[in-house]
Amino acid sequence: MLLSRRAGLCAGLGLLALARLPATAHAATRDVTAGDLVIQHPWTRATPGGAQVAGGYLTVVNRGAMPDRLVGGSFAAADAFSLHEMTVDGGVMKMRPTGPLDIPAGASLTLAPSGRHIMFTGLRRGLTKGEALDGTLVFERAGTVPVRFTVEGIGAKAPSGPGQAGQAMPGPAMPGMDMD
Amino acid sequence: MPRTIGDAPRAVTGESAVPRAVILWGLALVCAVIAAGTVALMLMHRSPFHHTRPGGPFAMVDTGGRPVTEADLAGRPAALFFGFTFCPDVCPTTLSLLTEVMGRMGGAADRLNVVFVSVDPERDTPEALKLYLSSFDPRIRGFTGTAAQVAAMADAYHVTYRRVPVEGGYTMEHSAGVFLFDRTGRLDGVIDDGEDEASVLGKLTMLAAPGTCVPGVAEPSSLWDRPMSGGTRGLCGAS
């Protein structure tokens, strides 16, 4: 009698733990699905002392038939979230705000160092390698999606993760990268 | 044989058919054209900087607020990187790469002056720079200054920088690359953004101790090399 009740309780708790709306998290790969979109491994980097800005990076795959756009978001440790693009023009580093970023149907959008990226400004505290912070991404169609940004090393060029050695790779080398 | 109108009278008179005045004016015109062309070329290729050779005198302050000048760099090769602390990407990654490489070089890196120079005097106070650089190799020095001092040093070192307003504040555009100077202050090479750790190690090793062979370190053929990452270079000491 007691055993079945306990089993029932465990099952109930287990079900409760699994129920997460509206996005489901795949803990192993840190992907988040939101409707047609799959958001892969949002990440940021540890900040140097006193830094008040940080970059945010991720890939969004659009598995649907309708285009979507990343229009904004938020980050737990920052006052503001904006979208920027970095270019090198004649040996000069330039950064410009971009408008909403398109995610065409059947394609992906990649935000990565040295290219298009999220700018977290008004950082309220430093970021430490190894931690993960809450944030949101706001899409035109998919709406507001809660995500977690993992904090990689200060000079990381790619996120560490399952299947990777956890070391910074030289240059962008993630599959499905859509850098234009 | 009847003479036609076009016949020059010189056979008859012995004088030049083209008057001396015309020749002189012609020469003057040619000179003017050459001069105008030269000026046009000069204007087209005009350098925005006052001195042809990058480097030389400057007056800034270090992270302790102490005045520094070119005398503080003299006698050692130098690697200078111009950036700002509100830079989310290139500056931390460049400083991080320099930190990794200097760590691998160990004591050999003591022979270099590695300097982060701010192009953002408004926000990058000596204190802010000190706090920022505390996350990197302690041998990396930081220079900042007044707006005029920063402008003068950037001009001397041929560094372009510009303040660009963005939502909620501003960012800085700035010349990329780590500039390498020999111990006399002459520009000897550059490390490009995007060079891999092996390439940076090779260049800084060559800068710190030219002509020496450090096992396992691939020496570039020149400090101006811009090798693609993944390229193979000869390792000194390899048979």
Side-chain angles (χ1 to χ4, degrees):
Chain A
M1 207 52 91
L2 207 63
L3 201 65
S4 65
R5 222 177 260 173
R6 199 173 285 175
L9 196 65
C10 283
L13 282 172
L15 280 172
L16 207 64
L18 285 173
R20 257 171 283 179
L21 296 171
T24 56
H26 305 281
T29 59
R30 284 171 274 194
D31 287 356
V32 172
T33 301
D36 292 333
L37 303 181
V38 179
I39 300 150
Q40 296 170 338
H41 204 151
W43 64 286
T44 179
R45 291 192 283 221
T47 48
Q52 297 187 40
V53 304
Y57 315 104
L58 48 89
T59 296
V60 184
V61 180
N62 185 350
R63 300 207 164 139
M66 299 289 292
D68 204 339
R69 300 206 298 176
L70 176 63
V71 301
S74 67
F75 185 62
D79 287 338
F81 175 120
S82 51
L83 298 170
H84 286 254
E85 176 157 27
M86 207 192 86
T87 53
V88 181
D89 179 9
V92 177
M93 293 282 166
K94 298 187 177 185
M95 209 171 68
R96 289 273 187 272
T98 68
L101 296 175
D102 291 329
I103 315 160
S108 63
L109 166 72
T110 297
L111 305 182
S114 302
R116 291 181 294 188
H117 59 276
I118 299 164
M119 268 282 283
F120 302 128
T121 51
L123 270 190
R124 297 185 207 121
R125 64 169 178 81
L127 306 178
T128 308
K129 178 178 175 179
E131 61 175 341
L133 286 93
D134 288 331
T136 62
L137 299 173
V138 180
F139 299 96
E140 202 166 62
R141 291 189 66 245
T144 301
V145 182
V147 291
R148 298 265 288 169
F149 287 87
T150 58
V151 182
E152 308 292 338
I154 206 168
K157 300 218 169 170
S160 58
Q164 295 177 17
Q167 288 167 354
M169 303 192 297
M174 286 166 67
M177 198 144 259
D178 168 37
M179 303 269 285
D180 35 281
Chain B
M1 194 171 325
R3 248 196 292 154
T4 59
I5 292 168
D7 275 0
R10 72 175 84 91
V12 173
T13 64
E15 277 176 8
S16 170
V18 182
R20 192 198 201 118
V22 174
I23 292 175
L24 286 174
W25 276 110
L27 279 173
L29 185 65
V30 168
C31 285
V33 167
I34 291 173
T38 306
V39 169
L41 278 172
M42 280 173 64
L43 285 174
M44 269 167 55
H45 297 288
R46 180 182 51 193
S47 166
F49 306 109
H50 288 92
H51 309 284
T52 36
R53 227 177 64 172
F58 61 86
M60 301 277 272
V61 294
D62 67 11
T63 53
R66 290 174 295 265
V68 284
T69 68
E70 68 283 2
D72 292 278
L73 296 182
R76 284 199 209 169
L80 265 54
F81 176 65
F82 291 78
F84 62 114
T85 68
F86 274 68
C87 161
D89 194 345
V90 171
C91 304
T93 51
T94 302
L95 288 167
S96 174
L97 182 56
L98 289 171
T99 295
E100 290 277 325
V101 168
M102 289 170 75
R104 284 178 67 177
M105 289 172 74
D110 294 351
R111 293 187 217 164
L112 297 172
N113 277 315
V114 181
V115 188
F116 179 65
V117 184
S118 173
V119 297
D120 186 6
E122 195 173 319
R123 290 182 298 206
D124 291 347
T125 61
E127 297 75 27
L129 210 50
K130 182 175 184 171
L131 182 55
Y132 191 82
L133 291 175
S134 69
S135 299
F136 305 104
D137 191 298
R139 291 169 290 185
I140 298 177
R141 304 169 69 175
F143 292 172
T144 184
T146 64
Q149 288 173 328
V150 167
M153 186 171 184
D155 181 62
Y157 284 73
H158 288 208
V159 169
T160 303
Y161 70 104
R162 197 161 73 111
R163 181 177 157 143
V164 175
V166 293
E167 183 188 309
Y170 67 90
T171 188
M172 303 297 298
E173 296 178 348
H174 59 99
S175 297
V178 180
F179 303 104
L180 308 175
F181 296 85
D182 71 11
R183 55 173 42 97
T184 70
R186 186 191 66 189
L187 183 66
D188 245 9
V190 69
I191 295 171
D192 262 345
D193 171 59
E195 283 192 36
D196 65 12
E197 191 177 314
S199 172
V200 176
L201 177 60
K203 284 189 177 177
L204 289 188
T205 299
M206 189 174 185
L207 187 69
T212 60
C213 171
V214 178
V217 176
E219 264 207 0
S221 50
S222 135
L223 291 173
W224 291 103
D225 265 7
R226 283 163 160 81
M228 301 301 288
S229 62
T232 52
R233 290 173 292 278
L235 289 179
C236 78
S239 53

Coordinates of all heavy atoms in Angstrom, one line a residue, chain A residues 105-143:
Chain A
A105 N 12.4 30.5 -43.9 CA 11.9 29.2 -43.7 C 12.9 28.2 -44.2 O 13.5 28.3 -45.2 CB 10.6 29.0 -44.5
G106 N 13.1 27.1 -43.4 CA 14.0 26.1 -43.8 C 15.5 26.5 -43.7 O 16.4 25.7 -44.2
A107 N 15.8 27.6 -43.1 CA 17.2 28.1 -43.0 C 17.5 28.4 -41.6 O 16.7 28.2 -40.7 CB 17.4 29.3 -43.9
S108 N 18.7 28.9 -41.3 CA 19.1 29.2 -40.0 C 19.7 30.6 -39.9 O 20.1 31.1 -40.9 CB 20.0 28.1 -39.4 OG 21.2 28.1 -40.1
L109 N 19.7 31.1 -38.7 CA 20.4 32.4 -38.4 C 21.5 32.1 -37.3 O 21.2 31.5 -36.3 CB 19.4 33.4 -37.8 CG 19.9 34.6 -37.1 CD1 20.5 35.6 -38.2 CD2 18.9 35.3 -36.3
T110 N 22.7 32.5 -37.6 CA 23.7 32.3 -36.6 C 24.3 33.6 -36.1 O 24.7 34.5 -36.9 CB 24.9 31.4 -37.2 OG1 24.4 30.1 -37.6 CG2 26.0 31.2 -36.2
L111 N 24.4 33.7 -34.9 CA 25.0 34.9 -34.2 C 26.3 34.4 -33.6 O 26.3 33.5 -32.8 CB 24.1 35.5 -33.1 CG 22.7 35.9 -33.6 CD1 21.9 36.5 -32.4 CD2 22.7 36.8 -34.7
A112 N 27.4 35.0 -34.0 CA 28.7 34.4 -33.6 C 29.7 35.6 -33.5 O 29.5 36.6 -34.1 CB 29.2 33.4 -34.6
P113 N 30.8 35.3 -32.8 CA 31.9 36.4 -32.7 C 32.3 36.8 -34.1 O 32.3 36.0 -35.0 CB 33.0 35.7 -31.9 CG 32.3 34.6 -31.1 CD 31.1 34.2 -32.0
S114 N 32.7 38.0 -34.2 CA 33.2 38.6 -35.4 C 32.1 38.8 -36.5 O 32.4 39.0 -37.6 CB 34.4 37.9 -36.0 OG 35.4 37.8 -35.1
G115 N 30.9 38.6 -36.1 CA 29.8 38.8 -37.1 C 28.6 39.4 -36.4 O 28.7 40.3 -35.6
R116 N 27.4 38.9 -36.8 CA 26.2 39.4 -36.1 C 26.1 38.8 -34.7 O 26.4 37.6 -34.5 CB 25.0 39.1 -37.0 CG 24.9 39.9 -38.3 CD 23.8 39.6 -39.1 NE 23.8 38.2 -39.6 CZ 22.9 37.7 -40.5 NH1 21.9 38.5 -40.9 NH2 22.9 36.5 -40.9
H117 N 25.7 39.6 -33.8 CA 25.7 39.1 -32.4 C 24.7 40.0 -31.6 O 24.2 41.0 -32.0 CB 27.1 39.2 -31.8 CG 27.7 40.6 -31.8 ND1 28.3 41.1 -32.9 CD2 27.7 41.6 -30.8 CE1 28.7 42.4 -32.6 NE2 28.3 42.7 -31.3
I118 N 24.4 39.4 -30.4 CA 23.6 40.2 -29.4 C 24.6 41.0 -28.6 O 25.7 40.6 -28.3 CB 22.9 39.2 -28.5 CG1 21.9 38.3 -29.3 CG2 22.1 40.0 -27.4 CD1 21.4 37.1 -28.5
M119 N 24.2 42.2 -28.3 CA 25.0 43.1 -27.4 C 24.2 43.2 -26.1 O 23.0 43.7 -26.1 CB 25.1 44.5 -28.0 CG 26.4 44.6 -28.8 SD 27.8 44.8 -27.7 CE 27.6 46.6 -27.3
F120 N 24.8 42.7 -25.0 CA 24.2 42.9 -23.7 C 24.9 44.2 -23.1 O 26.1 44.2 -23.0 CB 24.5 41.8 -22.7 CG 24.0 40.4 -23.2 CD1 24.8 39.3 -23.2 CD2 22.6 40.3 -23.6 CE1 24.3 38.1 -23.6 CE2 22.1 39.0 -24.0 CZ 23.0 38.0 -24.0
T121 N 24.1 45.2 -22.9 CA 24.7 46.4 -22.3 C 24.2 46.7 -20.9 O 23.1 46.2 -20.6 CB 24.5 47.6 -23.2 OG1 23.1 47.7 -23.5 CG2 25.2 47.5 -24.5
G122 N 24.8 47.5 -20.2 CA 24.4 47.8 -18.8 C 24.5 46.5 -18.0 O 23.6 46.2 -17.3
L123 N 25.6 45.8 -18.1 CA 25.8 44.6 -17.3 C 25.8 45.0 -15.9 O 26.5 45.9 -15.4 CB 27.2 44.0 -17.6 CG 27.3 42.9 -18.8 CD1 28.7 42.3 -18.7 CD2 26.2 41.9 -18.7
R124 N 25.1 44.2 -15.1 CA 25.0 44.5 -13.7 C 26.1 43.8 -12.8 O 26.3 44.2 -11.7 CB 23.6 44.1 -13.1 CG 22.5 44.9 -13.8 CD 21.1 44.6 -13.3 NE 20.1 44.8 -14.3 CZ 19.3 43.9 -14.8 NH1 19.3 42.7 -14.3 NH2 18.4 44.2 -15.7
R125 N 26.7 42.8 -13.5 CA 27.8 42.1 -12.8 C 28.6 41.4 -13.8 O 28.2 41.2 -14.9 CB 27.2 41.1 -11.7 CG 26.4 39.9 -12.3 CD 26.2 38.9 -11.2 NE 25.4 37.8 -11.6 CZ 25.9 36.7 -12.3 NH1 27.2 36.7 -12.7 NH2 25.1 35.7 -12.6
G126 N 29.8 41.0 -13.4 CA 30.7 40.3 -14.3 C 30.1 38.8 -14.5 O 29.4 38.3 -13.7
L127 N 30.5 38.3 -15.6 CA 30.1 36.9 -16.0 C 31.3 36.0 -15.8 O 32.4 36.3 -16.2 CB 29.6 36.9 -17.4 CG 28.5 37.9 -17.8 CD1 28.2 37.7 -19.3 CD2 27.3 37.7 -17.0
T128 N 31.0 34.8 -15.2 CA 32.1 33.9 -14.8 C 31.9 32.6 -15.7 O 30.8 32.1 -15.8 CB 32.0 33.5 -13.3 OG1 32.0 34.7 -12.6 CG2 33.2 32.7 -12.9
K129 N 33.0 32.2 -16.2 CA 33.0 30.9 -17.0 C 32.4 29.8 -16.2 O 32.7 29.6 -15.1 CB 34.4 30.6 -17.4 CG 34.5 29.3 -18.2 CD 36.0 29.0 -18.6 CE 36.0 27.7 -19.3 NZ 37.4 27.4 -19.8
G130 N 31.5 29.0 -16.9 CA 30.9 27.9 -16.3 C 29.5 28.1 -15.8 O 28.7 27.2 -15.5
E131 N 29.1 29.4 -15.6 CA 27.7 29.6 -15.1 C 26.8 29.7 -16.3 O 27.2 29.7 -17.4 CB 27.7 30.8 -14.2 CG 28.0 32.1 -14.9 CD 27.8 33.3 -13.9 OE1 27.0 33.2 -13.0 OE2 28.4 34.4 -14.2
A132 N 25.5 29.7 -16.0 CA 24.5 29.9 -17.0 C 23.4 30.9 -16.5 O 23.0 30.8 -15.4 CB 23.8 28.5 -17.4
L133 N 23.0 31.8 -17.4 CA 22.1 32.8 -16.9 C 20.8 32.8 -17.8 O 20.9 32.5 -19.0 CB 22.7 34.2 -17.0 CG 23.7 34.5 -15.9 CD1 25.1 34.2 -16.4 CD2 23.7 36.0 -15.5
D134 N 19.7 33.1 -17.2 CA 18.5 33.2 -17.9 C 18.4 34.4 -18.8 O 19.0 35.4 -18.6 CB 17.3 33.3 -16.9 CG 17.1 32.0 -16.2 OD1 17.4 30.9 -16.7 OD2 16.6 32.0 -15.0
G135 N 17.6 34.2 -19.9 CA 17.3 35.3 -20.8 C 16.1 35.0 -21.6 O 15.5 33.9 -21.4
T136 N 15.8 35.8 -22.5 CA 14.7 35.5 -23.4 C 15.1 36.0 -24.8 O 15.9 36.8 -25.0 CB 13.4 36.2 -23.1 OG1 13.6 37.7 -23.2 CG2 12.9 35.9 -21.7
L137 N 14.5 35.3 -25.8 CA 14.6 35.8 -27.2 C 13.2 36.1 -27.7 O 12.2 35.3 -27.3 CB 15.2 34.7 -28.0 CG 16.6 34.2 -27.7 CD1 17.0 33.0 -28.5 CD2 17.6 35.3 -27.9
V138 N 13.0 37.2 -28.4 CA 11.7 37.5 -28.8 C 11.7 37.4 -30.4 O 12.5 38.1 -31.1 CB 11.3 39.0 -28.4 CG1 9.9 39.3 -28.9 CG2 11.4 39.1 -26.9
F139 N 10.8 36.6 -30.9 CA 10.6 36.4 -32.3 C 9.3 37.0 -32.8 O 8.3 37.0 -32.0 CB 10.7 34.9 -32.6 CG 12.0 34.3 -32.3 CD1 12.1 33.6 -31.1 CD2 13.1 34.3 -33.1 CE1 13.3 33.0 -30.7 CE2 14.3 33.7 -32.7 CZ 14.4 33.1 -31.5
E140 N 9.3 37.4 -34.0 CA 8.1 38.0 -34.6 C 6.9 37.0 -34.5 O 5.8 37.4 -34.2 CB 8.4 38.4 -36.0 CG 7.5 39.5 -36.5 CD 8.0 40.1 -37.8 OE1 8.1 39.3 -38.8 OE2 8.3 41.3 -37.8
R141 N 7.1 35.8 -34.9 CA 6.1 34.8 -35.0 C 6.1 33.9 -33.7 O 5.0 33.6 -33.2 CB 6.2 33.9 -36.2 CG 5.9 34.7 -37.5 CD 5.8 33.7 -38.7 NE 4.6 32.8 -38.6 CZ 4.7 31.5 -38.4 NH1 5.8 30.9 -38.4 NH2 3.6 30.8 -38.4
A142 N 7.2 33.4 -33.4 CA 7.3 32.4 -32.3 C 7.1 33.1 -30.9 O 6.9 32.4 -29.9 CB 8.6 31.7 -32.3
G143 N 7.2 34.4 -30.9 CA 7.0 35.0 -29.6 C 8.2 35.0 -28.7 O 9.3 34.9 -29.1

